[in-house]
Amino acid sequence: MKKNFCSDNSRQAAEDIIGTATNNQTYVLIECPTPWSSDAFSSKWVPQSLQLLVKEAKRAKLPIKFQLIANDFSHKADSTKLLIFHQEEGGGKGYSKREFKLENIEQAASAIKKWLWGKNLKWEIDASATRDILICTHGSHDRCCARYGNPFYFHAKNLISDMGLDNVKIWRSSHFGGHRFAPTMIDLPEGRYYGNLDIQSLKSILTHTGDIKRFKDIYRGWGILPRSIQIVERELILRYGWDWFNYKAAGRIVEESADKSNVLAELTLEKPDGSFYSYQAKLVKNNHKTTTLKASCNAKHDTVLVKYDVANMWLAARQLVKIAS
């Protein structure tokens, strides 16, 4: 019997992928050689101390996303990299990065706990000003991430090498949601999510050049914003173009109907010159775009995937910077 791939079904349904980025306060990335089990932290290379820590954090509902990462050298590296990306209050532009060089993965749980307690870590090294690109290749969790994620990782790695982008590090990553958009990726430290990628669109993302209209098809949203606000942000990206990526942003839901079919959202941006602009937008549930699909290859039941349109958007307030005479 032919197996259906969830990403093929999503593309055939022309699913709008905006508003699917996960909002996390902290990402903890631990280098760990592949292969990984379907439940990544049950993999054979993951020590019990780290497994327990991840379970404890989940039970306590800490706003932390734990990921395993690897590159082509992880299996023979003589150290283990630990990366922590944390969103400060009022950050508005992404995450701050801390980088640690551990002797081995056995030290990961202890290092993470010390970071959580605010202690200084002897393993810390200067965090390089790099972009860390995570591509989900976690095929044991979902077949689409093997079928589409693995070849995309290979081509992306070659692209970055050919372009000489020394400030971009590319990683295989364990599952972070959205298999049906494979190949899917997170761009850290910004925390933006992308899906349905090809090499040309990746090149645009890396260089902030090219046709911004492609964002209608490949942009899942900015993880520092609530999901409803991610829809508004995409509209503003299409309006402002690549300049948008130099701005800080924050958003909130002003009001919402009981059935969530209508949402009034607000997004405030700050430009590098210090000027503020506040936009409000009315989001309306689009019954035509709302689809019923299996959210992953292994899903036993279909899921109703509600989609919204920006019915109206207006500039609610602005504050321009006064130039000193």
Side-chain angles (χ1 to χ4, degrees), residues 18-29:
I18 190 62
T20 61
T22 310
N23 192 304
N24 300 298
Q25 186 180 29
T26 305
Y27 290 88
V28 175
L29 316 181

Side-chain angles (χ1 to χ4, degrees), residues 264-278:
L264 180 61
E266 181 178 79
L267 195 153
T268 303
L269 69 94
E270 180 187 353
K271 292 188 175 183
D273 63 6
S275 58
F276 284 85
Y277 297 80
S278 182

Side-chain angles (χ1 to χ4, degrees), residues 66-325:
F66 290 91
Q67 300 286 149
L68 295 184
I69 57 172
N71 58 29
D72 292 350
F73 310 102
S74 298
H75 64 287
K76 55 186 177 184
D78 59 0
S79 61
T80 295
K81 189 153 285 190
L82 169 66
L83 304 177
I84 298 178
F85 294 87
H86 182 68
Q87 186 188 0
E88 307 289 349
E89 283 294 320
K93 207 174 177 185
Y95 297 78
S96 60
K97 177 182 176 181
R98 303 276 295 276
E99 189 169 338
F100 308 91
K101 186 177 181 181
L102 310 180
E103 292 172 17
N104 52 59
I105 196 172
E106 299 283 345
Q107 295 177 329
S110 173
I112 295 163
K113 283 180 182 177
K114 286 180 178 177
W115 177 83
L116 287 168
W117 295 332
K119 294 186 177 181
N120 290 327
L121 275 70
K122 64 181 180 181
W123 305 287
E124 185 160 13
I125 59 176
D126 286 340
S128 52
T130 58
R131 289 169 77 176
D132 289 276
I133 305 292
L134 275 54
I135 296 173
C136 185
T137 60
H138 196 175
S140 62
H141 192 87
D142 192 277
R143 290 172 311 187
C144 286
C145 298
R147 186 184 195 188
Y148 296 113
N150 273 320
F152 184 74
Y153 169 82
F154 174 79
H155 292 301
K157 184 182 59 173
N158 288 341
L159 173 71
I160 289 167
S161 176
D162 292 345
M163 293 178 67
L165 299 176
D166 296 333
N167 65 326
V168 178
K169 303 298 180 190
I170 192 160
W171 300 95
R172 296 180 179 274
S173 173
S174 59
H175 169 64
F176 48 73
H179 342 263
R180 68 185 187 278
F181 311 127
T184 185
M185 77 177 216
I186 310 176
D187 184 358
L188 290 165
E190 285 185 356
R192 297 181 189 275
Y193 285 60
Y194 299 89
N196 295 339
L197 288 161
D198 57 30
I199 290 301
Q200 192 57 45
S201 56
L202 175 62
K203 189 174 182 179
S204 287
I205 293 165
L206 294 175
T207 59
H208 289 176
T209 60
D211 187 0
I212 200 71
K213 292 189 180 71
R214 286 283 286 129
F215 268 63
K216 288 185 72 71
D217 304 316
I218 63 170
Y219 191 47
R220 293 181 56 191
W222 196 359
I224 68 169
L225 299 172
R227 295 194 178 204
S228 298
I229 313 298
Q230 293 170 19
I231 301 167
V232 181
E233 195 226 359
R234 183 179 66 176
E235 291 299 308
L236 290 169
I237 288 175
L238 296 173
R239 180 177 297 189
Y240 280 92
W242 293 109
D243 285 346
W244 178 264
F245 291 82
N246 299 315
Y247 305 159
K248 292 182 180 179
R252 67 186 182 99
I253 295 171
V254 180
E255 59 185 54
E256 192 173 56
S257 63
D259 63 357
K260 297 189 177 181
S261 62
N262 289 274
V263 179
L264 180 61
E266 181 178 79
L267 195 153
T268 303
L269 69 94
E270 180 187 353
K271 292 188 175 183
D273 63 6
S275 58
F276 284 85
Y277 297 80
S278 182
Y279 288 88
Q280 289 195 344
K282 183 180 180 183
L283 305 176
V284 179
K285 180 183 174 183
N286 185 321
N287 291 320
H288 178 69
K289 281 178 20 182
T290 293
T291 55
T292 303
L293 291 170
K294 284 187 168 58
S296 67
C297 288
N298 300 324
K300 293 182 171 60
H301 305 288
D302 288 350
T303 301
V304 178
L305 304 164
V306 177
K307 305 296 176 180
Y308 292 87
D309 282 336
V310 177
N312 192 15
M313 182 165 66
W314 59 95
L315 182 63
R318 66 175 177 170
Q319 179 181 336
L320 300 177
V321 174
K322 292 181 180 178
I323 301 173
S325 56

